[in-house]
Amino acid sequence: MNPESPLIHAKHVFRAAILLLAVLIAMLLGRSLFVPETWGEFGPYRGAAVAEHRDKPIRHGGNDSCAMCHDAEYAEHAGGEHASVQCESCHGPVAFHVDLEEGEVVAEMPVHRSRELCELCHLRLEARPADFPQVDVREHVLSNGGEFTPDACFECHDPHSPI
Amino acid sequence: MARHDKDSARPLIPISRREFLNRSSSALAGSMVIALILPEGSSAGIAGADYDWDRHRWVYLIDTTKCIGCGSCVRACRAENSVPEDMYRTWVERYEIPAEGEAFIDSPDGAEHGFDPVATGLSVRKGFFVPKLCNHCDATPCIQVCPVGASFATRDGVVLVDPEHCIGCGYCVQACPYGSRFINPTTHTADKCTLCYHRITTGRKTACVEICPVGARRLGDRKNPDDEVIEILATQRVEVLQPELLTRPQAFYLGLDMEVR
């Protein structure tokens, strides 16, 4: 009996090792192809997604941004009954009116002169807090000698500083 | 019943127990080596940003006794976040509850155009509005079920969706017990309230909080020792929606009624 080389018996070990190495390389290759670059930066998700959410454009600027041009209206509004109502609550976001990057007016700010705007807050509803000022608009207008027109509210009330 | 035939009984695994344990321990060692190659989570803040998310922990407070149901928040949310038509990241529900019998609950167009009077035929003794949005739960079912890791919570407590990674399977939409998620019809990915992450990380309030004319919605920061909302959470009786689900919501309510789910 010839003494066999000990490597002959180790052949299957090498085969398995090569196979394992091939699987490992394939896995790492697949991983680098399919896993996003910033995956796992902060946790089991794509880390860059956080910054992407942060970088979305701001559209509501708050009353201070309106005051930069409309200081008279701002002052009148700030001293009136509607002081807690934001300009953008009725007019819409400032970004639709001014390009916030360039500081240029891009469109007219909407002015809603309709009863429906006032009714959003002041139409009498059973679910509204009882101490909040609310009226049956039709009855309120008619009993005050007005005409029940679409802009009836504005005959008596200035929305910037109503009484 | 051949399996129980004594003559044909053979060991299921043709190796000894000792051999099996030896082999499996080396396989385990191998997989641990692979695990070491994978990248680890970093402990840094948002890279290159002037905002440290470890110094904030956002919460939300809704005072239902103040809400007038004007829907300004719903309109502001849509404008601020380009929310697609007929979809809502926040909405307002109306409750009219009679002394006896079923309550009347509605939310026409999510209250985007406010509410009209309704003839419920009920003798309403109790009525109120309840604004709703994502509760940014501490133990979210929505993140748990996402099969691809597109839903995640930021370190400052905001639950977000990565639209680049989302496959639009909708599991999270079903998993959320509060109905806060939807599939965006334009992008075909999951969409939800981001707590205006682009605003709160730059020193602003969320659009809905900013726009609310009666202060029914408020943003709080647990890591700010002088925060008024945190003071309210500490000293007043607050409630969360569906506490029995143990999702640990971070949107808190004042004046919630048992009819509200």
Side-chain angles (χ1 to χ4, degrees), chain A residues 24 27-28 31 34 36 39-47 49-63 84-90 93 96 119-129 131-132, chain B residues 34 38-42 44-46 49-51 53 65 67-68 70 72 75-76 79-80 82 96 113-117 124 127-129 148-149 152 155 160-162 164-165 194 197-199 201-202 204 210-211 213:
Chain A
L24 191 70
M27 196 201 80
L28 289 175
R31 213 189 123 72
F34 296 116
W39 186 269
E41 193 181 346
F42 310 122
Y45 58 92
R46 199 172 59 91
V50 180
E52 285 163 20
H53 271 289
R54 261 198 106 205
D55 291 342
K56 298 232 170 93
I58 285 171
R59 291 185 177 145
H60 287 81
N63 289 1
S84 72
V85 182
Q86 296 289 309
C87 309
E88 291 163 314
S89 201
C90 299
F96 291 175
E119 286 177 350
L120 286 170
C121 296
H122 296 292
L123 181 63
R124 187 180 302 286
L125 294 178
E126 282 187 303
R128 285 213 163 113
D131 57 353
F132 185 79
Chain B
I34 292 170
L38 302 180
E40 275 177 40
S42 95
I46 308 169
D50 52 345
Y51 170 80
W53 62 358
T65 64
C67 181
I68 57 169
C70 64
S72 296
R75 295 186 292 277
E80 182 73 27
S82 311
E96 296 197 355
H113 313 295
F115 290 88
D116 285 327
V124 175
F128 50 87
F129 295 101
V148 296
F152 59 94
R155 222 169 281 171
L160 294 176
V161 176
D162 176 358
E164 292 283 311
H165 209 66
T194 62
Y197 202 63
H198 58 301
R199 296 176 63 89
T201 56
T202 50
R204 292 171 184 273
E210 171 121 7
I211 213 74

Side-chain angles (χ1 to χ4, degrees), chain A residues 64-146:
Chain A
D64 289 345
S65 61
C66 308
M68 292 169 77
C69 298
H70 307 280
D71 44 359
E73 285 87 348
Y74 178 87
E76 186 195 7
H77 170 262
E81 282 286 313
H82 268 175
S84 72
V85 182
Q86 296 289 309
C87 309
E88 291 163 314
S89 201
C90 299
H91 290 284
V94 67
F96 291 175
H97 169 51
V98 177
D99 183 326
L100 297 178
E101 302 267 308
E102 308 288 330
E104 285 172 6
V105 175
V106 289
E108 284 290 307
M109 200 66 176
V111 178
H112 306 282
R113 290 188 65 88
S114 92
R115 205 176 62 220
E116 284 168 5
L117 178 72
C118 311
E119 286 177 350
L120 286 170
C121 296
H122 296 292
L123 181 63
R124 187 180 302 286
L125 294 178
E126 282 187 303
R128 285 213 163 113
D131 57 353
F132 185 79
Q134 46 192 313
V135 291
D136 177 340
V137 180
R138 187 187 174 84
E139 187 260 294
H140 174 74
V141 172
L142 295 179
S143 69
N144 284 284

Side-chain angles (χ1 to χ4, degrees), chain B residues 4 6 20 28 41 45 50 55 91 94 110 126 144-145 154 159 167 177 188-189 205 223 225 231 247 251:
Chain B
H4 298 293
K6 242 185 171 179
F20 172 75
L28 185 67
D50 52 345
R55 299 181 65 182
W91 64 99
R94 166 166 60 182
K126 187 159 68 173
Q144 280 184 44
V145 300
T154 61
V159 177
I167 56 171
H188 305 293
T189 56
K205 298 170 191 160
K223 296 199 175 171
E231 181 64 18
T247 55

